[in-house]
Amino acid sequence: MIVITLTDCPKSLRGDLSKWLLEISTGVFVGKVSARVRDNLWKRVKDSVKNGRATLVYTTNNEQGMDFRLHNSENQIIDFDGLKLVMKPSVSRVRHLEQKRRNFSKAAQFRMTKRKQAHTQHEQYEPADHSMIPSNISSMSSGCYPADYVVLDLETSGLREKLDEIIEVGMLKVAAGRIIGSYQALIHTKKPIPRPIEKLTGITNEMLAASGENLKEVLAKVESFIGKNCLVGHNIAFDMKFLNHALQKAGHSVITNPHYDTMTLYQEKRDSKKRISLADMTTILGLSQKPTHRALQDCRAVQEAYEVLKKK
């Protein structure tokens, strides 16, 4: 099954697609075709769409049961620990793509200038909140790797710390490279978690209702467990953004301990700027611990990866 949506596209393209797919609404085509036909149709779309936009959603054999393709879209496809999501872009990216798509007349340029001025004025009165973003993520290029640290991993109901919630916390305490303690807790949520998150993590709304702990109580335990230790995590900026937002909402101080990111360490060791998921990294490194999208097991995978990478 595939779904193709078109925006601002030539009528001739719609005519071509209607030979293979059913147009259930203007610019929305649905049908069941082979992978070869699907790929040829998508190539035809990209070749013919000109300045329009197109989206392809199709069923496939992965955890989600579906995959996405975008063309000329402001949205971005991101990999959230193996789960593909479509994310709305920043204002600057929307502006860049608009400029790329359109040949501006003087009137259009004037409208864009007015919008830019209005946005700038808005930013002056409502500055971005940078307090949630860790500013002390340590670079490992110096070769100084702590032997005593706490590994941290969170599972969350989404990607937005101000709208989504922490659903699980996992931590490992490590001394001289050996695990000496662990902590794990499910957290009761105010809103039901989305079905894709249930499928990805195996954490269900029923589990959180039955075994979830109060967030404020968990945060106090997290602070105590971390203490003054350095922190290690994979893409740890994401976890710290959620954790510090939750701490501030609960009236606590944010955590400012030094942070070490295994994704950054991997990039430095491999001289690469490519972002890599924890699952892909453990596979490439041939590690015994494999991430499962559960916080404590992912901590074990991060700890093994960190110990291997810092010796390379």
Side-chain angles (χ1 to χ4, degrees), residues 124-231:
Q124 289 173 347
Y125 288 101
E126 295 187 41
D129 180 8
H130 298 287
S131 61
M132 297 299 105
I133 303 174
S135 59
N136 57 341
I137 296 180
S138 302
S139 170
M140 302 195 185
S141 57
S142 63
C144 181
Y145 312 113
D148 301 343
Y149 54 91
V150 169
V151 183
L152 170 71
D153 185 76
L154 306 180
E155 298 300 329
T156 64
S157 63
L159 300 175
R160 306 157 300 178
E161 77 277 6
K162 293 183 179 179
L163 298 176
D164 300 312
E165 300 176 77
I166 301 171
I167 60 176
E168 186 180 33
V169 174
M171 294 184 293
L172 295 175
K173 187 166 289 186
V174 181
R178 295 184 57 202
I179 298 172
I180 61 171
S182 64
Y183 175 78
Q184 180 272 339
L186 292 172
I187 298 172
H188 180 74
T189 56
K190 296 178 181 177
K191 300 179 293 184
I193 61 176
R195 176 58 184 157
I197 299 298
E198 286 188 312
K199 189 174 180 181
L200 177 70
T201 63
I203 300 171
T204 65
N205 286 292
E206 290 75 19
M207 289 169 60
L208 297 181
S211 305
E213 300 180 33
N214 180 274
L215 176 61
K216 289 186 177 181
E217 295 175 0
V218 171
L219 291 174
K221 294 176 183 177
V222 168
E223 288 180 301
S224 175
F225 191 95
I226 292 173
K228 296 182 179 180
N229 287 286
C230 298
L231 293 168

Side-chain angles (χ1 to χ4, degrees), residues 42 143 173 220 263:
W42 184 241
K173 187 166 289 186
M263 182 166 65

Side-chain angles (χ1 to χ4, degrees), residues 153 155 278 290-302:
D153 185 76
E155 298 300 329
L278 179 58
K290 302 297 182 182
T292 60
H293 301 295
R294 290 300 302 269
L296 197 56
Q297 177 56 30
D298 287 5
C299 283
R300 295 190 181 100
V302 169

Side-chain angles (χ1 to χ4, degrees), residues 132 134 152 231 236-244 255 259:
M132 297 299 105
L152 170 71
L231 293 168
I236 195 169
F238 175 85
D239 300 280
M240 294 309 300
K241 186 170 61 173
F242 264 88
L243 180 57
N244 279 336
I255 291 174
H259 309 89

Side-chain angles (χ1 to χ4, degrees), residues 33-280:
V33 296
S34 68
R36 182 179 62 83
V37 173
R38 177 198 70 208
D39 291 342
N40 285 332
L41 286 175
W42 184 241
K43 183 178 183 301
R44 170 64 175 161
V45 167
K46 292 196 295 182
D47 291 343
S48 307
V49 76
K50 295 183 180 179
N51 291 332
R53 287 158 286 173
T55 301
L56 168 65
V57 182
Y58 58 96
T59 55
T60 188
N61 187 25
N62 61 15
E63 271 190 304
Q64 287 174 273
M66 66 177 67
D67 207 342
F68 311 90
R69 295 182 191 175
L70 304 175
H71 185 67
N72 282 355
S73 175
E74 297 95 343
N75 295 331
Q76 297 170 281
I77 297 175
I78 62 170
D79 189 312
F80 176 52
D81 281 347
L83 179 69
K84 281 192 176 181
L85 301 173
V86 177
M87 182 176 71
K88 290 185 177 181
S90 64
V91 173
S92 60
R93 178 167 169 79
V94 172
R95 191 177 298 135
H96 169 74
L97 290 172
E98 283 180 347
Q99 291 171 344
K100 186 177 179 180
R101 273 203 303 266
R102 294 157 59 185
N103 293 319
F104 291 107
S105 64
K106 289 185 178 180
Q109 291 176 11
F110 176 76
R111 288 194 297 271
M112 285 295 293
T113 301
K114 295 295 286 184
R115 282 201 295 268
K116 184 176 181 180
Q117 290 173 345
H119 178 69
T120 301
Q121 291 172 352
H122 176 74
E123 286 182 333
Q124 289 173 347
Y125 288 101
E126 295 187 41
D129 180 8
H130 298 287
S131 61
M132 297 299 105
I133 303 174
S135 59
N136 57 341
I137 296 180
S138 302
S139 170
M140 302 195 185
S141 57
S142 63
C144 181
Y145 312 113
D148 301 343
Y149 54 91
V150 169
V151 183
L152 170 71
D153 185 76
L154 306 180
E155 298 300 329
T156 64
S157 63
L159 300 175
R160 306 157 300 178
E161 77 277 6
K162 293 183 179 179
L163 298 176
D164 300 312
E165 300 176 77
I166 301 171
I167 60 176
E168 186 180 33
V169 174
M171 294 184 293
L172 295 175
K173 187 166 289 186
V174 181
R178 295 184 57 202
I179 298 172
I180 61 171
S182 64
Y183 175 78
Q184 180 272 339
L186 292 172
I187 298 172
H188 180 74
T189 56
K190 296 178 181 177
K191 300 179 293 184
I193 61 176
R195 176 58 184 157
I197 299 298
E198 286 188 312
K199 189 174 180 181
L200 177 70
T201 63
I203 300 171
T204 65
N205 286 292
E206 290 75 19
M207 289 169 60
L208 297 181
S211 305
E213 300 180 33
N214 180 274
L215 176 61
K216 289 186 177 181
E217 295 175 0
V218 171
L219 291 174
K221 294 176 183 177
V222 168
E223 288 180 301
S224 175
F225 191 95
I226 292 173
K228 296 182 179 180
N229 287 286
C230 298
L231 293 168
V232 173
H234 192 79
N235 191 21
I236 195 169
F238 175 85
D239 300 280
M240 294 309 300
K241 186 170 61 173
F242 264 88
L243 180 57
N244 279 336
H245 178 72
L247 285 167
Q248 279 202 332
K249 280 190 68 176
H252 296 237
S253 299
V254 298
I255 291 174
T256 58
N257 302 33
H259 309 89
Y260 293 83
D261 189 350
T262 51
M263 182 166 65
T264 301
L265 177 55
Y266 179 88
Q267 290 169 334
E268 291 180 356
K269 294 290 186 177
R270 296 297 177 105
D271 193 23
S272 170
K273 293 183 179 179
K274 184 179 179 181
R275 295 174 65 83
I276 186 168
S277 69
L278 179 58
D280 287 344

